[in-house]
Amino acid sequence: MGEEDSPLIHPSHGSYHELPHKESIFSPRRALFRWFVLLIVSLICFGSYFAFDEIQPFDSQIQKTLNIERADFSNLYAIYSFPNIILVFFGGLLGDKIGVRLAALIFVLFVFAGAVMAPLAVSLTAAGKISQRSGYIFLLAGRFVFGLGGESLNVIQTSMTAIWFAGTKDLALALGFTLSMSRLGDYLALSFSPQIAKLFGGDWIAALWFGTVLAGISVGAVLLYSVLDKASERYFPDRKIDPEENALNFKAILQFDARFWIVSLLCMTYYSGVTPFIALCNDFLKDSYHFDDEKAAFYSGIIILASMILSPILGKFLDMVGNRPYFVVLGSCMILPAHLMLAFTQVTPLVPIILIGLSFSMVPGCLWPSIPLLCKAKETATAYGLMTAIQNAGLSLTNFAAGRIADLSYKEAMIFFVCMDLLGFAFGFMLIYVDDYKGRTLCLRSGATKEDLVEDDDK
Ligand SMILES: C[C@H](NC(=O)[C@@H](N)CCCCN)C(=O)O
């Protein structure tokens, strides 16, 4: 069968490779079907990433319409992130307990409700139907509801990809592809919202409603995924949901592999060096390099654009070569000089920005695909949830700190990012060491087994 191209064997996940069923069109062994499912999965967060960032390009219009200050506007992001230090962990647990289909449906409905509430709040205020104060509270509530689903939906999406691709030769490519589609949502929202508004005769509130339509597509994608996943359920016997066995098992979490904790801490420090930087980048370029609005937006968009294009390409490369801990260190090596250049030199920011974009594909391309190699299939969503909770815990502090430090001086903010990079660097070396000690699972090529690793070493 020409379409079957993957040795579906995996230390903890592989189980759909040996089933004696006659291959149906819904068999995950069929590469074409698997990739079709992935396309649907990738649409799930395309809309939610767009809706998350759609308010950013219209910050001044929103502030004016609701009569709020910059700090009030920042609260629209904080109210999304803070609850997710805890919530996303339970979101992951829920995914393993009730299954990814039902969990995704719950979370995407929260996302959709939030994506309706945000433009509705602004529309009602602009039309004078509610006061500016009520409009702001309504908008805050919308962002809160959006946050109840947003991060957990991301965790479930990553778990869906792991379910379908762990054990194949294409896990990092698949995760890179979903990441790429999510970043496309981000990029469209951040860089093209004014153009979208132009399509609606310059009506910026219509551009916010456009985000609601994309969130509607996310709902449709979850429903379609559920149908396809249900149809191929018999190929995944490992996924049978046993509510007893899957009861909140905190003990199991404490017994997670040491490398899971290192990867999670690395995820926290690495994203702390990048995400707050992206948030500040626009203003930083305008203040430090005297760029105009358009040039600053173009340059800061390069990071997301680069990682959007490179994530699947580097994903495929990492699938083929394995050695994830080494590439994490290499990715950290790129971001460190980039922040140093921005802090201490006057070289064109293009070079460091491209380095950050390259690193922002390589490091996530190693971190997220590492999880299925370190945990059991039934714990995947829990593990992703916990990792994202740890990431959010760090990010909520570092976002806050970086903003305050940047108010004093951008140079010191860059030095702050250098410190985050150094921490990431240290965790990267720790990962190499611990993985080496524990049998080099993270060095496996995707779809390979430990025996392959021994063979490689023998050559
Ligand atoms: C895959 C990874 N996801 C995250 O970092 C999540 N915390 C979701 C963030 C959503 C922000 N729009 C990533 O996006 O690199």
Side-chain angles (χ1 to χ4, degrees), residues 45 48-50 52-53 77 80 88 146 150-152 154-155 157-158 175 178-179 182-183 186 267 270-271 275 307 311 360 364 368 387-389 391-392 395:
C45 285
S48 69
Y49 270 59
F50 183 99
F52 174 77
D53 269 322
Y77 281 91
Y80 172 97
V88 71
F146 187 79
E151 286 291 284
S152 298
N154 202 263
V155 162
Q157 184 207 40
T158 314
L175 283 165
T178 56
L179 194 57
S182 302
R183 299 245 192 276
D186 243 347
C267 177
Y270 178 77
Y271 276 83
T275 314
S307 95
S311 288
F360 199 37
W368 302 98
M387 177 167 161
T388 311
Q391 179 203 36
N392 275 318
L395 276 178

Side-chain angles (χ1 to χ4, degrees), residues 143-336:
R143 294 292 289 182
F144 177 71
V145 170
F146 187 79
L148 291 180
E151 286 291 284
S152 298
L153 187 63
N154 202 263
V155 162
I156 300 296
Q157 184 207 40
T158 314
S159 309
M160 286 169 174
T161 313
I163 285 168
W164 280 77
F165 282 84
T168 75
K169 291 179 291 178
D170 299 319
L171 176 62
L173 168 63
L175 283 165
F177 182 75
T178 56
L179 194 57
S180 185
M181 287 292 279
S182 302
R183 299 245 192 276
L184 177 65
D186 243 347
Y187 188 66
L188 285 180
L190 291 172
S191 303
F192 283 90
S193 286
Q195 279 82 341
I196 294 170
K198 267 191 202 145
L199 290 178
F200 297 101
D203 180 357
W204 62 274
I205 300 181
L208 298 183
W209 282 110
F210 181 74
T212 315
V213 174
L214 294 188
I217 292 178
S218 297
V219 179
V222 166
L223 293 175
L224 184 54
Y225 172 82
S226 300
V227 173
L228 299 174
D229 190 69
K230 180 85 190 150
S232 50
E233 198 169 44
R234 64 191 168 117
Y235 291 98
F236 296 99
D238 275 10
R239 282 172 60 198
K240 281 219 174 67
I241 293 163
D242 176 351
E244 289 306 308
E245 191 189 333
N246 286 352
L248 303 187
N249 190 348
F250 290 99
K251 252 202 194 133
I253 289 166
L254 291 178
Q255 281 157 10
F256 273 175
D257 192 295
R259 287 166 294 180
F260 165 81
W261 299 104
I262 301 174
V263 167
S264 299
L265 290 171
L266 222 161
C267 177
M268 175 176 94
T269 50
Y270 178 77
Y271 276 83
S272 292
V274 180
T275 314
F277 173 78
I278 295 176
L280 289 173
C281 196
N282 226 23
D283 287 344
F284 165 64
L285 293 173
K286 285 195 260 181
D287 280 21
S288 307
Y289 296 86
H290 309 293
F291 283 6
D292 60 26
D293 281 351
E294 222 166 277
K295 197 170 172 190
F298 174 73
Y299 271 61
S300 46
I302 289 177
I303 300 176
I304 295 176
L305 185 67
S307 95
M308 185 181 103
I309 296 168
L310 292 173
S311 288
I313 301 170
L314 277 173
K316 185 63 209 165
F317 172 74
L318 292 164
D319 279 328
M320 283 160 49
V321 299
N323 286 303
R324 293 164 193 82
Y326 294 91
F327 284 101
V328 164
V329 171
L330 182 64
S332 307
C333 276
M334 291 172 185
I335 197 169
L336 183 66

Side-chain angles (χ1 to χ4, degrees), residues 316-372:
K316 185 63 209 165
F317 172 74
L318 292 164
D319 279 328
M320 283 160 49
V321 299
N323 286 303
R324 293 164 193 82
Y326 294 91
F327 284 101
V328 164
V329 171
L330 182 64
S332 307
C333 276
M334 291 172 185
I335 197 169
L336 183 66
H339 284 142
L340 283 170
M341 271 186 243
L342 292 169
F344 296 110
T345 71
Q346 274 300 313
V347 292
T348 164
L350 193 61
V351 177
I353 280 178
I354 289 177
L355 277 175
I356 295 174
L358 196 58
S359 163
F360 199 37
S361 319
M362 186 173 284
V363 178
C366 294
L367 293 180
W368 302 98
S370 293
I371 298 303

